[in-house]
Each structure stands twice: as C-alpha cells, then as structure tokens.
Amino acid sequence: MVPPTTRNGSEPICYQFRDTGSCSYGTSCRFHHVGDPTHNARHPGGKKDSDAISAFFARYPGFAYDDEQGVAEEFYRMCDFFAWNRDDDERHEARQAFKDALVIQFNSLYGTDVSDIENWHKLCIAVFIEPLPVTIPECKKEIEKIHVNLVDLVDVSRRGVKLFPSLAALRVYTIETGKFFPKESAYAGGVLRFLLREIL
C-alpha cells in the first residue's frame, strides 16, 4: 500500500478530506486538511496538546529533544548523549519510562475503548484502510491483515507510516531500527492489542 500524499514531504494529509472535501472526524481530525486553514490552524502539524513523548524527554533537560525526528531515534541519541551503556541503571530506568510514554501516547492517539468505532476508525485511517469499515468486526478483520511498526504509528503525526507485506518483513525492519514496542507495558490494552505482533 502507498501512504497518502504528504504536505511538504512529511505531514500526512487526511485522505477523506482530500478525496471528498469532508471528514468524518471534523475538527478532531489530526491530519492536514488541504484548503481548510481554519482546521489546520487548530491542529498545526497534527500534534496533540497532550504529548507523553515530549513529557518524557522533558525529564532530561540537558538533552535537546528534536520533535521533528523519530521518537526511537531520539531516545537512542539521548542514550549516546549521556553516554549510557546498555547495563547502566540510568538507561534501564529511562528505557522503562520511554516504553510507558510510547503506550500512553498510542492510547492518546487511537483510544482504548474497543467498543467505540471512532477509535477503530482512527486506527484504520492511520494505516490507510479505505473505505472505512462500517462495523467494529469489519475494522478488526481489516486491521488483522496489517503489519506496521507501532513506534512508527506513534510517530505518524511527524511522518507517514510504512506498511509491510508480511510479519517477516516487519520483523526485519523492527530489529534493524530498534523500534520495539512494549507489549508488556501496564498501559497496554484497548485497540493496541489488535496490532501487537511477535517480533522476537
């Protein structure tokens, strides 16, 4: 699947608005609406006011977090900045807090109530499922076919996401990039569990 058009090469565009001139999410849509300056002014860059990732990096004021870069890349850059070895307690503590921030951010973006079809539609939009399924079972059926890195889904407001043709391809990408999503987090649940895949 080819990701939707992006503005300036990085900002995902709402394909519902692009194709039909309207969007089922209205003012709550976090993607760019081409030709709708009122919506885009309220949602610059598609970012949310509540950002668990930014809050995590704010705990380390000596590190200059760049929110235009990938969150995983920035975490590893921070580890290098502080010269943390893999067995350092500081790195382990930061890693756990980062994992929790990833899950909290995912839940903020896509919701946790599995009985709310709007949450399923948010996820479907993020992984380019169109047209949107009309029932939750149909959403689940379509999402089960999707192989996507969940860290990239958290990064979706900064860049588009890449879909993989198989679990094997997703596994190779995840291992190469170090973008492991914490399925064991206490915050994991809701729609998130329908996208979790065994990587190792």
Side-chain angles (χ1 to χ4, degrees):
M1 258 181 185
V2 178
T5 307
T6 58
R7 190 169 72 96
N8 298 329
S10 62
E11 185 181 331
I13 288 173
C14 173
Y15 63 72
Q16 282 193 77
F17 193 87
R18 177 198 66 194
D19 295 342
T20 68
S22 64
C23 171
S24 58
Y25 294 101
T27 58
S28 67
C29 183
R30 58 193 178 80
F31 295 108
H32 183 75
H33 286 187
V34 176
D36 185 357
T38 303
H39 173 274
N40 298 324
R42 283 194 296 268
H43 303 273
K47 295 178 183 176
K48 285 183 164 288
D49 294 334
S50 176
D51 189 337
I53 297 297
S54 293
F56 162 77
F57 283 110
R59 295 169 56 178
Y60 303 91
F63 174 73
Y65 168 54
D66 183 354
D67 66 3
E68 294 301 318
Q69 302 303 314
V71 294
E73 290 91 337
E74 285 298 277
F75 174 77
Y76 292 124
R77 187 171 72 85
M78 186 178 77
C79 291
D80 291 340
F81 175 84
F82 289 116
W84 290 334
N85 295 318
R86 289 187 177 275
D87 56 351
D88 286 347
D89 290 342
E90 295 94 338
R91 182 180 176 121
H92 285 301
E93 182 181 330
R95 178 67 176 166
Q96 187 56 54
F98 179 63
K99 287 180 177 181
D100 288 342
L102 282 174
V103 179
I104 293 169
Q105 186 75 1
F106 185 98
N107 290 340
S108 173
L109 290 169
Y110 303 107
T112 57
D113 185 357
V114 295
S115 64
D116 186 347
I117 196 167
E118 182 174 330
N119 290 336
W120 292 99
H121 280 173
K122 289 176 185 176
L123 199 51
C124 288
I125 289 170
V127 296
F128 319 123
I129 294 172
E130 56 179 333
L132 287 178
V134 296
T135 68
I136 290 176
E138 290 173 341
C139 290
K140 290 180 180 178
K141 184 177 180 181
E142 291 301 315
I143 287 170
E144 283 175 354
K145 304 173 186 176
I146 297 296
H147 300 290
V148 62
N149 183 274
L150 299 186
V151 177
D152 286 348
L153 270 183
V154 170
D155 263 340
V156 73
S157 61
R158 299 170 175 86
R159 60 187 68 185
V161 297
K162 179 179 180 180
L163 302 185
F164 296 89
S166 67
L167 177 57
L170 171 60
R171 185 174 287 133
V172 168
Y173 171 82
T174 301
I175 293 171
E176 286 181 348
T177 60
K179 294 182 178 181
F180 292 95
F181 201 87
K183 68 176 183 177
E184 74 281 1
S185 170
Y187 299 98
V191 297
L192 168 59
R193 65 188 179 90
F194 288 88
L195 273 172
L196 288 170
R197 303 287 186 264
E198 282 294 338
I199 298 299
L200 297 177

